[in-house]
Amino acid sequence: QLQLVESGGGLVQPGGSLRLSCAASGEGLDYDAIHWFRQAPGKEREGISCISASGSNANYADSAKGRFTISRDSAKNMVYLQMNNLRPENTTVYYCATKSTFVQTMCDIRSRSMGYWGKGTLVNVSS
């Protein structure tokens, strides 16, 4: 059974950077696309970025373009989200997720129906 664990969140000043990590165990993480979401209190989860199984294709929400970069290290069963020039509005919980461990699906930033979720890591952008 696939398990996903996020890490790398914490307190950072505006303009600073964080790299979030998504680690997989139980199954490989290289077969299906991996997605990053954010969820502010009282709001639904919002897709931030996704990366294809091969790592050759990546998509971003408009709010993330130019500041966030998603990457994959298949040898380590890891996916990363590099977040630069962070703003206070980026303060929230971030989750990684994937749809399937046996079917390769598209990297669609609009997709919210995931089969597997991590428990999230909190990012706090404040001076």
Side-chain angles (χ1 to χ4, degrees), residues 28-76:
L29 201 59
D30 60 345
Y31 194 76
D32 195 18
I34 300 297
H35 300 246
W36 282 99
F37 292 81
R38 57 169 281 152
Q39 186 172 27
K43 298 183 179 180
E44 294 186 353
R45 293 184 184 184
E46 175 189 0
I48 299 298
S49 183
C50 59
I51 187 168
S52 65
S54 68
S56 62
N57 185 44
N59 292 307
Y60 300 89
D62 288 342
S63 62
K65 292 179 180 177
R67 296 192 299 125
F68 294 2
T69 303
I70 191 169
S71 61
R72 178 190 291 272
D73 187 339
S74 295
K76 296 181 179 179

Tab-separated table of all heavy atoms in Angstrom, residues 28-76:
chain	number	residue	atom	x	y	z
A	28	GLY	N	6.300	2.219	-5.526
A	28	GLY	CA	7.074	3.219	-6.221
A	28	GLY	C	6.250	4.457	-6.514
A	28	GLY	O	5.018	4.412	-6.581
A	29	LEU	N	6.936	5.561	-6.695
A	29	LEU	CA	6.281	6.836	-6.947
A	29	LEU	C	6.451	7.294	-8.387
A	29	LEU	O	6.093	8.422	-8.726
A	29	LEU	CB	6.849	7.883	-5.982
A	29	LEU	CG	6.023	9.143	-5.690
A	29	LEU	CD1	4.677	8.779	-5.118
A	29	LEU	CD2	6.788	10.048	-4.748
A	30	ASP	N	6.970	6.442	-9.219
A	30	ASP	CA	7.357	6.839	-10.567
A	30	ASP	C	6.403	6.395	-11.661
A	30	ASP	O	6.704	6.585	-12.846
A	30	ASP	CB	8.770	6.323	-10.881
A	30	ASP	CG	8.869	4.817	-10.814
A	30	ASP	OD1	7.961	4.165	-10.263
A	30	ASP	OD2	9.879	4.274	-11.321
A	31	TYR	N	5.258	5.816	-11.300
A	31	TYR	CA	4.367	5.303	-12.341
A	31	TYR	C	3.314	6.314	-12.762
A	31	TYR	O	2.964	6.401	-13.946
A	31	TYR	CB	3.679	4.016	-11.896
A	31	TYR	CG	3.024	3.294	-13.054
A	31	TYR	CD1	3.792	2.574	-13.970
A	31	TYR	CD2	1.651	3.362	-13.248
A	31	TYR	CE1	3.198	1.933	-15.042
A	31	TYR	CE2	1.052	2.718	-14.323
A	31	TYR	CZ	1.829	2.004	-15.218
A	31	TYR	OH	1.245	1.368	-16.286
A	32	ASP	N	2.776	7.055	-11.833
A	32	ASP	CA	1.720	8.012	-12.117
A	32	ASP	C	2.207	9.424	-11.812
A	32	ASP	O	3.232	9.611	-11.145
A	32	ASP	CB	0.473	7.696	-11.291
A	32	ASP	CG	-0.766	8.417	-11.788
A	32	ASP	OD1	-0.767	8.879	-12.947
A	32	ASP	OD2	-1.742	8.519	-11.011
A	33	ALA	N	1.466	10.398	-12.298
A	33	ALA	CA	1.767	11.787	-11.993
A	33	ALA	C	1.619	12.056	-10.497
A	33	ALA	O	0.785	11.455	-9.821
A	33	ALA	CB	0.850	12.713	-12.784
A	34	ILE	N	2.423	12.976	-9.991
A	34	ILE	CA	2.366	13.416	-8.606
A	34	ILE	C	1.907	14.866	-8.585
A	34	ILE	O	2.353	15.682	-9.395
A	34	ILE	CB	3.723	13.270	-7.906
A	34	ILE	CG1	4.171	11.812	-7.926
A	34	ILE	CG2	3.649	13.793	-6.475
A	34	ILE	CD1	3.251	10.874	-7.157
A	35	HIS	N	1.036	15.172	-7.636
A	35	HIS	CA	0.442	16.494	-7.530
A	35	HIS	C	0.755	17.112	-6.177
A	35	HIS	O	0.841	16.415	-5.164
A	35	HIS	CB	-1.086	16.415	-7.677
A	35	HIS	CG	-1.553	15.838	-8.977
A	35	HIS	ND1	-2.242	16.590	-9.907
A	35	HIS	CD2	-1.446	14.592	-9.492
A	35	HIS	CE1	-2.538	15.823	-10.943
A	35	HIS	NE2	-2.063	14.612	-10.721
A	36	TRP	N	0.892	18.425	-6.172
A	36	TRP	CA	0.965	19.207	-4.944
A	36	TRP	C	-0.281	20.073	-4.842
A	36	TRP	O	-0.689	20.705	-5.824
A	36	TRP	CB	2.203	20.095	-4.909
A	36	TRP	CG	3.469	19.368	-4.568
A	36	TRP	CD1	4.413	18.917	-5.423
A	36	TRP	CD2	3.927	19.037	-3.255
A	36	TRP	NE1	5.433	18.316	-4.742
A	36	TRP	CE2	5.165	18.375	-3.397
A	36	TRP	CE3	3.418	19.232	-1.964
A	36	TRP	CZ2	5.900	17.907	-2.316
A	36	TRP	CZ3	4.148	18.765	-0.886
A	36	TRP	CH2	5.370	18.116	-1.064
A	37	PHE	N	-0.857	20.107	-3.645
A	37	PHE	CA	-2.034	20.904	-3.343
A	37	PHE	C	-1.757	21.808	-2.153
A	37	PHE	O	-0.867	21.551	-1.349
A	37	PHE	CB	-3.240	20.021	-3.004
A	37	PHE	CG	-3.779	19.223	-4.148
A	37	PHE	CD1	-3.176	18.038	-4.533
A	37	PHE	CD2	-4.907	19.649	-4.832
A	37	PHE	CE1	-3.682	17.288	-5.585
A	37	PHE	CE2	-5.424	18.906	-5.880
A	37	PHE	CZ	-4.805	17.725	-6.256
A	38	ARG	N	-2.555	22.832	-2.037
A	38	ARG	CA	-2.592	23.651	-0.838
A	38	ARG	C	-4.026	23.694	-0.332
A	38	ARG	O	-4.976	23.558	-1.102
A	38	ARG	CB	-2.093	25.075	-1.087
A	38	ARG	CG	-2.864	25.820	-2.176
A	38	ARG	CD	-2.485	27.298	-2.182
A	38	ARG	NE	-3.163	28.021	-1.127
A	38	ARG	CZ	-2.685	29.104	-0.540
A	38	ARG	NH1	-1.497	29.583	-0.884
A	38	ARG	NH2	-3.389	29.707	0.417
A	39	GLN	N	-4.187	23.871	0.966
A	39	GLN	CA	-5.516	23.992	1.541
A	39	GLN	C	-5.478	24.959	2.710
A	39	GLN	O	-4.918	24.649	3.759
A	39	GLN	CB	-6.074	22.645	1.992
A	39	GLN	CG	-7.517	22.739	2.454
A	39	GLN	CD	-8.149	21.395	2.728
A	39	GLN	OE1	-7.457	20.429	3.052
A	39	GLN	NE2	-9.463	21.309	2.597
A	40	ALA	N	-6.096	26.102	2.508
A	40	ALA	CA	-6.246	27.076	3.565
A	40	ALA	C	-7.450	26.712	4.422
A	40	ALA	O	-8.371	26.034	3.953
A	40	ALA	CB	-6.409	28.474	2.978
A	41	PRO	N	-7.469	27.156	5.675
A	41	PRO	CA	-8.604	26.843	6.544
A	41	PRO	C	-9.928	27.281	5.936
A	41	PRO	O	-10.068	28.405	5.457
A	41	PRO	CB	-8.298	27.626	7.823
A	41	PRO	CG	-6.810	27.749	7.831
A	41	PRO	CD	-6.427	27.913	6.389
A	42	GLY	N	-10.903	26.386	5.947
A	42	GLY	CA	-12.223	26.692	5.433
A	42	GLY	C	-12.359	26.658	3.929
A	42	GLY	O	-13.433	26.965	3.413
A	43	LYS	N	-11.302	26.300	3.223
A	43	LYS	CA	-11.342	26.257	1.768
A	43	LYS	C	-11.024	24.858	1.259
A	43	LYS	O	-10.427	24.047	1.961
A	43	LYS	CB	-10.349	27.261	1.178
A	43	LYS	CG	-10.640	28.712	1.527
A	43	LYS	CD	-9.659	29.635	0.850
A	43	LYS	CE	-9.954	31.082	1.174
A	43	LYS	NZ	-8.977	31.994	0.512
A	44	GLU	N	-11.440	24.587	0.038
A	44	GLU	CA	-11.120	23.318	-0.594
A	44	GLU	C	-9.662	23.292	-1.031
A	44	GLU	O	-9.025	24.331	-1.208
A	44	GLU	CB	-12.029	23.076	-1.800
A	44	GLU	CG	-13.491	22.887	-1.443
A	44	GLU	CD	-14.333	22.504	-2.637
A	44	GLU	OE1	-13.799	22.505	-3.765
A	44	GLU	OE2	-15.515	22.189	-2.454
A	45	ARG	N	-9.155	22.090	-1.206
A	45	ARG	CA	-7.789	21.948	-1.672
A	45	ARG	C	-7.645	22.440	-3.105
A	45	ARG	O	-8.507	22.203	-3.947
A	45	ARG	CB	-7.349	20.497	-1.560
A	45	ARG	CG	-7.255	20.037	-0.119
A	45	ARG	CD	-6.725	18.632	0.039
A	45	ARG	NE	-6.757	18.242	1.451
A	45	ARG	CZ	-6.296	17.099	1.926
A	45	ARG	NH1	-5.764	16.204	1.109
A	45	ARG	NH2	-6.373	16.840	3.228
A	46	GLU	N	-6.539	23.125	-3.348
A	46	GLU	CA	-6.268	23.757	-4.623
A	46	GLU	C	-4.999	23.178	-5.218
A	46	GLU	O	-3.963	23.139	-4.557
A	46	GLU	CB	-6.129	25.266	-4.444
A	46	GLU	CG	-5.721	26.017	-5.688
A	46	GLU	CD	-5.392	27.461	-5.412
A	46	GLU	OE1	-5.473	27.881	-4.245
A	46	GLU	OE2	-5.059	28.187	-6.374
A	47	GLY	N	-5.078	22.746	-6.461
A	47	GLY	CA	-3.907	22.221	-7.134
A	47	GLY	C	-2.873	23.298	-7.391
A	47	GLY	O	-3.201	24.363	-7.911
A	48	ILE	N	-1.631	23.019	-7.035
A	48	ILE	CA	-0.532	23.955	-7.216
A	48	ILE	C	0.356	23.547	-8.385
A	48	ILE	O	0.732	24.378	-9.217
A	48	ILE	CB	0.312	24.070	-5.936
A	48	ILE	CG1	-0.548	24.588	-4.780
A	48	ILE	CG2	1.510	24.979	-6.165
A	48	ILE	CD1	-1.110	25.963	-5.024
A	49	SER	N	0.686	22.268	-8.441
A	49	SER	CA	1.599	21.792	-9.462
A	49	SER	C	1.458	20.287	-9.599
A	49	SER	O	0.971	19.606	-8.692
A	49	SER	CB	3.044	22.152	-9.102
A	49	SER	OG	3.946	21.753	-10.112
A	50	CYS	N	1.889	19.763	-10.730
A	50	CYS	CA	1.948	18.323	-10.921
A	50	CYS	C	3.092	18.002	-11.862
A	50	CYS	O	3.531	18.844	-12.645
A	50	CYS	CB	0.624	17.747	-11.448
A	50	CYS	SG	0.055	18.425	-13.022
A	51	ILE	N	3.571	16.769	-11.761
A	51	ILE	CA	4.665	16.312	-12.598
A	51	ILE	C	4.339	14.916	-13.103
A	51	ILE	O	3.793	14.089	-12.371
A	51	ILE	CB	6.007	16.342	-11.828
A	51	ILE	CG1	7.178	16.029	-12.756
A	51	ILE	CG2	5.968	15.404	-10.630
A	51	ILE	CD1	8.535	16.322	-12.124
A	52	SER	N	4.654	14.651	-14.350
A	52	SER	CA	4.337	13.373	-14.963
A	52	SER	C	5.194	12.259	-14.370
A	52	SER	O	6.175	12.494	-13.666
A	52	SER	CB	4.541	13.443	-16.472
A	52	SER	OG	5.904	13.663	-16.787
A	53	ALA	N	4.804	11.024	-14.672
A	53	ALA	CA	5.530	9.868	-14.156
A	53	ALA	C	6.992	9.881	-14.572
A	53	ALA	O	7.878	9.526	-13.781
A	53	ALA	CB	4.859	8.581	-14.619
A	54	SER	N	7.256	10.288	-15.790
A	54	SER	CA	8.626	10.324	-16.294
A	54	SER	C	9.397	11.550	-15.830
A	54	SER	O	10.630	11.573	-15.939
A	54	SER	CB	8.621	10.281	-17.819
A	54	SER	OG	8.075	11.470	-18.356
A	55	GLY	N	8.696	12.549	-15.350
A	55	GLY	CA	9.332	13.797	-14.987
A	55	GLY	C	9.531	14.750	-16.141
A	55	GLY	O	10.099	15.834	-15.955
A	56	SER	N	9.067	14.374	-17.322
A	56	SER	CA	9.299	15.187	-18.506
A	56	SER	C	8.296	16.315	-18.678
A	56	SER	O	8.535	17.238	-19.463
A	56	SER	CB	9.291	14.306	-19.763
A	56	SER	OG	8.029	13.684	-19.939
A	57	ASN	N	7.187	16.244	-17.980
A	57	ASN	CA	6.140	17.255	-18.108
A	57	ASN	C	5.720	17.741	-16.735
A	57	ASN	O	5.498	16.937	-15.828
A	57	ASN	CB	4.934	16.693	-18.848
A	57	ASN	CG	3.871	17.743	-19.123
A	57	ASN	OD1	4.186	18.856	-19.543
A	57	ASN	ND2	2.617	17.391	-18.894
A	58	ALA	N	5.620	19.039	-16.593
A	58	ALA	CA	5.195	19.643	-15.338
A	58	ALA	C	4.232	20.779	-15.634
A	58	ALA	O	4.388	21.500	-16.627
A	58	ALA	CB	6.385	20.157	-14.543
A	59	ASN	N	3.246	20.943	-14.768
A	59	ASN	CA	2.268	22.009	-14.917
A	59	ASN	C	2.116	22.745	-13.596
A	59	ASN	O	2.342	22.185	-12.522
A	59	ASN	CB	0.915	21.447	-15.362
A	59	ASN	CG	0.951	20.901	-16.772
A	59	ASN	OD1	1.358	21.592	-17.697
A	59	ASN	ND2	0.533	19.654	-16.945
A	60	TYR	N	1.709	24.013	-13.700
A	60	TYR	CA	1.612	24.868	-12.529
A	60	TYR	C	0.343	25.702	-12.566
A	60	TYR	O	-0.115	26.109	-13.639
A	60	TYR	CB	2.809	25.821	-12.451
A	60	TYR	CG	4.135	25.133	-12.364
A	60	TYR	CD1	4.842	24.791	-13.513
A	60	TYR	CD2	4.690	24.824	-11.127
A	60	TYR	CE1	6.064	24.150	-13.434
A	60	TYR	CE2	5.912	24.188	-11.040
A	60	TYR	CZ	6.592	23.850	-12.191
A	60	TYR	OH	7.808	23.216	-12.104
A	61	ALA	N	-0.198	25.960	-11.395
A	61	ALA	CA	-1.236	26.960	-11.279
A	61	ALA	C	-0.649	28.323	-11.597
A	61	ALA	O	0.554	28.557	-11.429
A	61	ALA	CB	-1.834	26.945	-9.874
A	62	ASP	N	-1.499	29.238	-12.041
A	62	ASP	CA	-1.008	30.569	-12.399
A	62	ASP	C	-0.279	31.241	-11.240
A	62	ASP	O	0.712	31.945	-11.446
A	62	ASP	CB	-2.165	31.449	-12.866
A	62	ASP	CG	-2.686	31.044	-14.232
A	62	ASP	OD1	-1.972	30.342	-14.969
A	62	ASP	OD2	-3.816	31.444	-14.566
A	63	SER	N	-0.753	31.025	-10.037
A	63	SER	CA	-0.144	31.647	-8.872
A	63	SER	C	1.251	31.118	-8.571
A	63	SER	O	2.018	31.766	-7.855
A	63	SER	CB	-1.037	31.449	-7.641
A	63	SER	OG	-1.188	30.075	-7.340
A	64	ALA	N	1.584	29.948	-9.112
A	64	ALA	CA	2.866	29.318	-8.837
A	64	ALA	C	3.887	29.515	-9.949
A	64	ALA	O	5.092	29.332	-9.717
A	64	ALA	CB	2.676	27.821	-8.594
A	65	LYS	N	3.445	29.875	-11.118
A	65	LYS	CA	4.350	30.010	-12.254
A	65	LYS	C	5.406	31.072	-11.993
A	65	LYS	O	5.109	32.170	-11.533
A	65	LYS	CB	3.559	30.360	-13.517
A	65	LYS	CG	2.671	29.246	-14.013
A	65	LYS	CD	1.884	29.665	-15.249
A	65	LYS	CE	0.997	28.539	-15.746
A	65	LYS	NZ	0.174	28.958	-16.912
A	66	GLY	N	6.643	30.703	-12.282
A	66	GLY	CA	7.752	31.624	-12.102
A	66	GLY	C	8.342	31.634	-10.715
A	66	GLY	O	9.433	32.181	-10.524
A	67	ARG	N	7.672	31.049	-9.735
A	67	ARG	CA	8.172	31.016	-8.361
A	67	ARG	C	8.376	29.601	-7.830
A	67	ARG	O	9.274	29.383	-7.025
A	67	ARG	CB	7.226	31.755	-7.418
A	67	ARG	CG	7.090	33.236	-7.707
A	67	ARG	CD	6.373	33.946	-6.564
A	67	ARG	NE	5.018	33.431	-6.368
A	67	ARG	CZ	4.551	32.965	-5.221
A	67	ARG	NH1	5.321	32.947	-4.140
A	67	ARG	NH2	3.308	32.532	-5.127
A	68	PHE	N	7.543	28.667	-8.258
A	68	PHE	CA	7.613	27.293	-7.766
A	68	PHE	C	8.127	26.371	-8.863
A	68	PHE	O	7.832	26.576	-10.050
A	68	PHE	CB	6.240	26.795	-7.322
A	68	PHE	CG	5.667	27.495	-6.125
A	68	PHE	CD1	6.334	28.539	-5.502
A	68	PHE	CD2	4.438	27.100	-5.621
A	68	PHE	CE1	5.796	29.180	-4.394
A	68	PHE	CE2	3.891	27.734	-4.519
A	68	PHE	CZ	4.562	28.766	-3.904
A	69	THR	N	8.879	25.347	-8.471
A	69	THR	CA	9.389	24.357	-9.403
A	69	THR	C	9.200	22.967	-8.820
A	69	THR	O	9.644	22.691	-7.703
A	69	THR	CB	10.877	24.578	-9.710
A	69	THR	OG1	11.080	25.897	-10.228
A	69	THR	CG2	11.356	23.558	-10.742
A	70	ILE	N	8.548	22.100	-9.569
A	70	ILE	CA	8.357	20.719	-9.149
A	70	ILE	C	9.404	19.848	-9.830
A	70	ILE	O	9.771	20.085	-10.986
A	70	ILE	CB	6.922	20.236	-9.462
A	70	ILE	CG1	6.636	18.893	-8.789
A	70	ILE	CG2	6.678	20.162	-10.963
A	70	ILE	CD1	5.162	18.501	-8.849
A	71	SER	N	9.889	18.843	-9.127
A	71	SER	CA	10.888	17.946	-9.687
A	71	SER	C	10.730	16.559	-9.080
A	71	SER	O	10.084	16.385	-8.040
A	71	SER	CB	12.308	18.468	-9.465
A	71	SER	OG	12.596	18.580	-8.083
A	72	ARG	N	11.314	15.591	-9.734
A	72	ARG	CA	11.193	14.205	-9.310
A	72	ARG	C	12.567	13.550	-9.270
A	72	ARG	O	13.403	13.765	-10.155
A	72	ARG	CB	10.286	13.443	-10.295
A	72	ARG	CG	10.112	11.975	-10.007
A	72	ARG	CD	9.416	11.275	-11.174
A	72	ARG	NE	8.027	11.672	-11.316
A	72	ARG	CZ	7.004	11.089	-10.683
A	72	ARG	NH1	7.223	10.082	-9.845
A	72	ARG	NH2	5.771	11.507	-10.898
A	73	ASP	N	12.804	12.739	-8.249
A	73	ASP	CA	13.993	11.907	-8.149
A	73	ASP	C	13.499	10.478	-7.969
A	73	ASP	O	13.245	10.024	-6.854
A	73	ASP	CB	14.880	12.335	-6.988
A	73	ASP	CG	16.210	11.601	-6.966
A	73	ASP	OD1	16.316	10.513	-7.565
A	73	ASP	OD2	17.159	12.116	-6.354
A	74	SER	N	13.360	9.768	-9.075
A	74	SER	CA	12.787	8.429	-9.034
A	74	SER	C	13.655	7.453	-8.253
A	74	SER	O	13.139	6.546	-7.601
A	74	SER	CB	12.569	7.916	-10.461
A	74	SER	OG	11.605	8.685	-11.137
A	75	ALA	N	14.968	7.621	-8.316
A	75	ALA	CA	15.871	6.726	-7.608
A	75	ALA	C	15.651	6.779	-6.105
A	75	ALA	O	15.883	5.796	-5.403
A	75	ALA	CB	17.320	7.059	-7.942
A	76	LYS	N	15.213	7.924	-5.597
A	76	LYS	CA	14.970	8.095	-4.171
A	76	LYS	C	13.493	8.006	-3.805
A	76	LYS	O	13.151	8.162	-2.634
A	76	LYS	CB	15.519	9.441	-3.702
A	76	LYS	CG	17.028	9.580	-3.825
A	76	LYS	CD	17.488	10.936	-3.312
A	76	LYS	CE	18.988	11.075	-3.396
A	76	LYS	NZ	19.445	12.403	-2.908
